[in-house]
Amino acid sequence: MEWNRITFDPNVMGGKPCIRGMRVTVGTIVGLIASGRSFNEVQKFYPYLEAEDISEALAYAAWRADEIEIPFEAA
């Protein structure tokens, strides 16, 4: 996959995937959306983000989740 808006820099947020080199991580965006926030609400929190940034963060997180297999152990 090619990511145009997701960047990795060891000097920014410890190398976590960020949006366009800014100090906003993919995890932050995914967490906000998962907690019920809308794209518009996320953009109010971070007005410098574009809708495409949020979409790509979600796509990246879905791709990563599909790439990492975590064994499920029944309780």
Side-chain angles (χ1 to χ4, degrees):
M1 297 282 321
E2 183 177 324
W3 305 105
N4 298 315
R5 295 173 176 268
I6 308 299
T7 57
F8 307 87
D9 181 342
N11 297 313
V12 178
M13 301 302 285
K16 291 180 180 179
C18 291
I19 307 298
R20 295 185 285 130
M22 296 183 278
R23 299 182 66 80
V24 180
T25 65
V26 168
T28 297
I29 301 302
V30 171
L32 287 168
I33 297 294
S35 69
R37 302 296 183 170
S38 68
F39 274 40
N40 287 337
E41 288 175 306
V42 172
Q43 286 180 294
K44 285 180 184 174
F45 295 139
Y46 302 98
Y48 41 84
L49 291 181
E50 300 169 2
E52 293 84 4
D53 296 327
I54 300 167
S55 293
E56 190 159 308
L58 295 174
Y60 175 80
W63 175 76
R64 288 291 296 152
D66 196 43
E67 290 294 309
I68 299 172
E69 291 189 30
I70 300 171
F72 176 77
E73 295 189 26

